[in-house]
Amino acid sequence: VGERFLSTEEIKSFWQHTEEVSTTDRVFFRLLLLLGARPGEIRKLRWTDVDGDVLTLRSETVKTRNTHELFL
């Protein structure tokens, strides 16, 4: 499977298009873009998963079943 990365123009376009959706959807889509997490991982987030500038993806919500810490 090959890797593909979004170009700067694609990122700008994506970001601008998220202005057209609800606040909840906008936050969801932007977190997907910024964190590179899977949609299910973002949907299952809780406020308790955020500690200062660290977001923890809990093992029960991650496909690999390993806890991940992402720095915000």
Side-chain angles (χ1 to χ4, degrees):
V1 176
E3 289 186 15
R4 182 180 182 287
F5 300 93
L6 296 176
S7 69
T8 302
E9 288 305 315
E10 289 171 317
I11 292 170
K12 287 179 184 177
S13 177
F14 178 89
W15 200 266
Q16 290 170 347
H17 280 85
T18 61
E19 290 294 332
E20 302 168 10
V21 299
S22 70
T23 301
T24 303
D25 287 344
R26 180 170 42 257
V27 169
F28 175 76
F29 288 124
R30 288 181 177 183
L31 282 173
L32 288 176
L33 177 69
L34 294 171
L35 299 177
R38 292 180 176 88
E41 295 167 348
I42 298 299
R43 278 193 297 273
K44 294 174 185 174
L45 286 176
R46 300 178 188 156
W47 279 112
T48 56
D49 296 331
V50 179
D51 184 16
D53 61 353
V54 178
L55 171 67
T56 301
L57 297 176
R58 293 169 279 117
S59 60
E60 63 269 17
T61 66
V62 179
K63 182 178 179 180
T64 61
R65 298 294 181 221
N66 295 317
T67 299
H68 297 281
E69 290 185 344
L70 304 173
F71 296 92
L72 304 173

